[in-house]
């Protein structure tokens, strides 16, 4: 199997790189790639990390999944790109220095009506996307979230319209369900369909592979950013092996890899991503809850104080659910979200693109 400069014969693991653009200094921008090729035919699983340059645990999980003995344990192939955003990694920053916008909102969206010419980050993402969809049967995109955040896996809304019928979307959603369940991570569904498209999440790595190419793909959020956290690294590697097992690829589970399921959802009802609640008063945030805490609608989750410590206002939860993570930093402006939450979700997993 050949991906970029990495060539792995059956039973081999190979490392190389993808060259996706040239830099002004006269050298190519290279993305590291690792290929584990099993001795028997089977599905091809792609695993990516580091599309945000400061998300250390996602990079480590992608690296550590690619054990030297992996080709002996699988049928099919696993392809890993641990660092999708080397420009961000070099500066330990979420964005690349090609632009200040999100590099994970630049993947193809064939239903977009934009006529703007593609700039360099979009070209890199499009070329990586083409390489992925040329061989992938499934994709895991490894991320991390905010400081001290609770780990989870995100299931995208599956959209129908120009690209697929509602029945085809339902079938894709069933395939996706099986894979995210196999991770053993707490499950969140993405934002409702209209908000999902407004936030351009169909142009994220997993969103594009799922909704443009029709290949089951999902995102993991493995705790906080900037440093590798061992408990979530272990859970992320276990999740990847759980997906291989679900795909029928795994011949033998490595003794050194934990079983999926080390983190459990704090609630027993379906949840989705929600950014909020928001403060209506500027000041300093003093949280009353932590990541993983269960909250009820109307519960006070934070105080807003003056710099001198006088309480100005309180912030109440808008939904039942649990806390994923808290706003970083003390200062809050009017309209700032003080939490990221897993909020109760009764919405459809499959929705029309134009909803």
């Amino acid at each position: 199997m050949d991906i970029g400069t990495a060539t792995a014969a059956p039973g081999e693991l190979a490392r190389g790189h993808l060259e996706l653009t040239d830099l002004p200094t006269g050298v190519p921008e290279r993305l590291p790639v690792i290929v584990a090729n099993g001795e028997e035919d089977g599905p091809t699983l792609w695993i990516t990390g580091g599309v945000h340059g400061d998300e250390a645990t996602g990079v480590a999980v992608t690296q550590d999944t690619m054990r030297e003995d992996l080709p002996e344990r699988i049928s099919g192939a696993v392809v890993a790109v641990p660092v999708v955003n080397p420009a961000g990694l070099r500066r330990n920053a979420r964005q690349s220095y090609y632009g200040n916008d999100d590099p994970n909102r630049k993947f193809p969206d064939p239903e977009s009506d934009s006529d703007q010419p593609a700039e360099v980050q979009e070209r890199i993402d499009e070329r990586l996307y083409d390489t992925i969809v040329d061989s992938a049967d499934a994709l895991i995109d490894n991320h991390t979230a905010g400081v001290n955040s609770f780990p989870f896996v995100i299931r995208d809304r599956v959209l129908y319209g120009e690209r697929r019928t509602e029945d085809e979307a339902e079938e894709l959603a069933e395939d996706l369900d099986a894979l995210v369940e196999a991770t053993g991570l707490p499950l969140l569904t993405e934002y409702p369909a209209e908000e999902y498209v407004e936030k351009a999440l169909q142009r994220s790595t997993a969103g594009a592979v799922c909704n443009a190419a029709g290949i089951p793909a999902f995102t993991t959020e493995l705790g906080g950013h900037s440093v590798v956290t061992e408990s979530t690294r272990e859970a992320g590697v276990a999740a990847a092996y759980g997906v291989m097992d679900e795909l029928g690829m795994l011949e033998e589970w490595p003794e050194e890899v934990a079983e999926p399921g080390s983190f459990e959802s704090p609630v027993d009802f379906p949840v989705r991503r929600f950014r909020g609640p928001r403060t209506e008063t500027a000041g300093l945030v003093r949280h009353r809850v932590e990541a993983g805490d269960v909250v009820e609608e109307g519960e006070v989750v934070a105080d807003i104080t003056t710099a001198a410590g006088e309480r100005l206002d309180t912030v109440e939860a808008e939904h039942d659910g649990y806390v994923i993570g808290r706003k970083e930093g003390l200062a809050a402006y009017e309209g700032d979200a003080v939490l990221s939450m897993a909020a109760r979700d009764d919405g459809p997993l499959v929705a029309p693109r134009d909803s």
Side-chain angles (χ1 to χ4, degrees):
M1 185 176 196
D2 300 330
I3 303 291
T5 66
T7 299
E12 291 183 353
L13 183 141
R15 291 178 170 85
H17 57 263
L18 297 168
E19 294 184 1
L20 298 182
T21 192
D22 290 323
L23 299 175
T25 50
V27 296
E29 181 70 290
R30 292 178 170 178
L31 277 60
V33 61
I34 313 166
V35 179
N37 195 5
E39 294 185 359
E40 303 294 333
D41 291 341
T44 296
L45 171 65
W46 275 71
I47 306 175
T48 52
V51 70
H52 297 127
D54 61 350
E55 297 187 355
T57 302
V59 174
V61 165
T62 308
Q63 293 172 329
D64 293 357
T65 299
M66 306 302 286
R67 298 165 49 89
E68 295 293 335
D69 64 353
L70 183 57
E72 304 167 17
R73 298 179 181 276
I74 58 169
S75 54
V78 181
V79 181
V81 180
V83 180
V84 170
N85 177 12
L89 178 70
R90 285 192 284 269
R91 57 200 289 259
N92 288 312
R94 180 179 174 84
Q95 294 91 353
S96 73
Y97 46 69
Y98 307 134
N100 287 322
D101 47 0
D102 192 334
N104 202 35
R105 300 293 184 273
K106 299 291 186 179
F107 287 83
D109 176 14
E111 296 186 48
S112 171
D113 56 5
S114 173
D115 294 323
Q116 295 297 314
E119 297 184 352
V120 65
Q121 185 65 60
E122 187 170 5
R123 292 173 189 236
I124 291 170
D125 289 356
E126 287 179 349
R127 290 163 186 165
L128 176 59
Y129 169 87
D130 288 341
T131 306
I132 292 169
V133 303
D134 186 55
S135 62
D137 294 294
L139 173 132
I140 304 170
D141 188 34
N142 290 316
H143 287 248
T144 65
V147 170
N148 297 326
S149 67
F150 195 78
F152 57 98
V153 59
I154 303 173
R155 174 178 52 199
D156 281 61
R157 306 282 176 176
V158 179
L159 307 178
Y160 60 89
E162 292 179 16
R163 302 294 293 176
R164 64 187 57 83
T165 65
E166 185 174 0
D167 286 345
E168 291 169 335
E170 293 281 2
E171 183 177 349
L172 177 56
E174 288 179 9
D175 292 341
L176 182 56
D177 257 350
L179 297 188
V180 296
E181 291 287 351
T183 67
L185 292 166
L187 171 60
L188 273 68
T189 302
E190 266 293 11
Y191 300 101
E194 183 176 2
E195 189 176 356
Y196 177 83
V197 175
E198 284 178 355
K199 292 179 180 294
L201 284 160
Q202 81 282 4
R203 299 196 64 185
S204 67
T205 315
V209 171
C210 182
N211 274 307
I215 296 168
F218 62 85
T219 301
T220 64
E221 295 283 357
L222 300 167
H225 57 69
S226 298
V227 297
V228 177
T229 304
E230 176 55 27
S231 60
T232 48
R233 184 210 62 82
E234 183 179 78
V237 173
Y241 278 82
V243 170
M244 291 181 220
D245 195 39
E246 176 64 29
L247 289 169
M249 300 173 64
L250 197 61
E251 303 294 336
E252 182 182 357
W253 193 281
E255 290 183 6
E256 300 84 356
V257 175
E259 295 282 341
S262 56
F263 290 91
E264 295 184 0
S265 175
V267 298
D268 60 3
F269 48 80
V271 289
R272 64 173 176 87
R273 279 217 287 175
F274 174 70
R275 186 74 172 160
R278 298 176 182 273
T279 176
E280 296 302 320
T281 305
L284 276 59
V285 180
R286 298 292 301 271
H287 295 286
R288 295 196 189 183
V289 292
E290 298 183 359
D293 285 353
V294 176
V295 299
E296 296 181 352
E297 181 181 354
E299 180 180 343
V300 175
V301 294
D303 298 301
I304 306 298
T305 74
T306 68
E310 298 171 290
R311 183 185 296 168
L312 294 171
D313 203 352
T314 58
V315 184
E316 297 179 357
E318 298 177 30
H319 302 278
D320 294 342
Y322 67 91
V323 179
I324 295 170
R326 299 177 292 180
K327 180 187 183 302
E328 295 182 37
L330 281 173
Y333 295 87
E334 184 180 356
D336 280 358
V338 301
L339 298 177
S340 294
M341 281 193 57
R344 186 186 292 272
D345 181 42
D346 299 315
L349 303 179
V350 169
R353 167 66 186 258
D354 59 357
S355 63

